[in-house]
Amino acid sequence: MYYGYGRGYGYGMGFDPLYILVIIMAILCMVASARVSSVYKKYARIRSMSGLTGAQTAMEILRRNGITDVTVAHVSGNLTDHYDPKRRMVCLSDATYGSCSVAAVGVAAHECGHVLQHYTGYIPIRIRSAIVPAANIGSKAGIPIILLGFFLSFSPLVTIGIWVFSLAVIFQLVTLPVEFNASHRALVMLEQYGILGHEEITHSRKVLSAAAMTYVASAASAVVQLFRLVLIYGRRGND
Ligand SMILES: [Zn+2]
């Protein structure tokens, strides 16, 4: 059944109002990632009182939590810090590993937050880990499948494509509680273990909040893209 969305809103004439929103979201993603770089740079210049490096911070947090089977490794790149649950490795980047800035300490603690999420069986990270393979397929193959179904005028393929793409969107949404919770754990531990002072915590919080905004922007962008795909192709696919 055709709902007339395309005609009413000018899709048939090549004008796509939701595309403007997609572009705005893409710009917001760029702004968020530029901001995290500049905030990181700012707080990378402030040395923490404890003098612990990012790597030492991570080791201390792991030790305090009785975690002995996770190692702390140095990876190259800029803001490439992550926790690799398969290899049980907290990977800290050039700017984090050997630096004792409040930015480096905050990021290192955040990655340990992810370690603890795995250790405590935090539900959102379990969901996230479970859908990683499907989400990877969804982000690469979703739109091509939809387009193929559309050009072949084969609506089941369009529907499959939209569902596959939805997995990538769900992944982005589940990432949000995972990231906010890791940062929350990080700041609580830094204060509790006396690694950072009260004012230093507020600096680290600014770095981690800026990083979280990049995830919010990309999740919002993915939701808008999905919404647009459903409006354009979903309804036509059901003709
Ligand atoms: Zn994270």
Side-chain angles (χ1 to χ4, degrees):
M1 181 151 162
Y2 187 60
Y3 295 87
Y5 176 83
R7 247 179 315 196
Y9 290 84
Y11 274 107
M13 280 139 48
F15 176 66
D16 180 351
L18 267 178
Y19 192 63
I20 295 166
L21 200 53
V22 170
I23 291 170
I24 291 171
M25 286 300 171
I27 293 168
L28 281 181
C29 287
M30 284 189 277
V31 169
S33 87
R35 203 179 115 73
V36 70
S37 296
S38 76
V39 172
Y40 191 97
K41 249 184 216 158
K42 180 178 173 189
Y43 291 104
R45 285 195 289 265
I46 302 177
R47 193 179 188 278
S48 79
M49 298 287 275
S50 72
L52 290 185
T53 62
Q56 287 166 338
T57 299
M59 286 177 216
E60 175 65 5
I61 290 174
L62 296 175
R63 188 187 69 78
R64 291 256 194 171
N65 285 278
I67 297 168
T68 52
D69 57 346
V70 171
T71 53
V72 179
H74 183 188
V75 286
S76 58
N78 182 31
L79 298 176
T80 47
D81 309 81
H82 64 281
Y83 172 55
D84 182 342
K86 274 202 189 115
R87 294 192 295 163
R88 291 178 187 267
M89 235 179 221
V90 172
C91 302
L92 301 178
S93 68
D94 298 331
T96 311
Y97 190 90
S99 161
C100 35
S101 72
V102 287
V105 168
V107 169
H110 170 94
E111 300 313 329
C112 292
H114 288 310
V115 175
L116 287 159
Q117 286 173 337
H118 281 277
Y119 270 78
T120 56
Y122 179 63
I123 302 283
I125 207 162
R126 284 164 74 175
I127 297 171
R128 191 174 176 271
S129 304
I131 63 173
V132 165
N136 281 335
I137 297 168
S139 66
K140 289 192 191 90
I143 291 172
I145 293 172
I146 293 167
L147 290 176
L148 188 66
F150 183 63
F151 287 117
L152 296 176
S153 295
F154 186 56
S155 62
L157 203 55
V158 173
T159 307
I160 290 168
I162 287 174
W163 280 109
V164 168
F165 186 78
S166 301
L167 288 170
V169 179
I170 291 167
F171 178 83
Q172 301 252 34
L173 290 175
V174 176
T175 295
L176 298 181
V178 170
E179 292 304 325
F180 279 102
N181 176 266
S183 291
H184 175 73
R185 285 173 193 255
L187 297 168
V188 168
M189 289 188 291
L190 290 173
E191 187 151 41
Q192 221 172 45
Y193 304 157
I195 297 172
L196 291 184
H198 189 69
E199 202 188 336
E200 294 174 327
I201 294 276
T202 61
H203 295 154
S204 288
R205 180 176 287 117
K206 280 183 185 155
V207 174
L208 297 180
S209 300
M213 279 307 124
T214 63
Y215 292 102
V216 172
S218 66
S221 168
V223 168
V224 169
Q225 279 191 56
L226 177 64
F227 186 57
R228 178 172 172 262
L229 290 172
V230 170
L231 282 178
I232 299 174
Y233 300 110
R235 288 182 171 178
R236 289 187 186 179
N238 290 333
D239 280 4

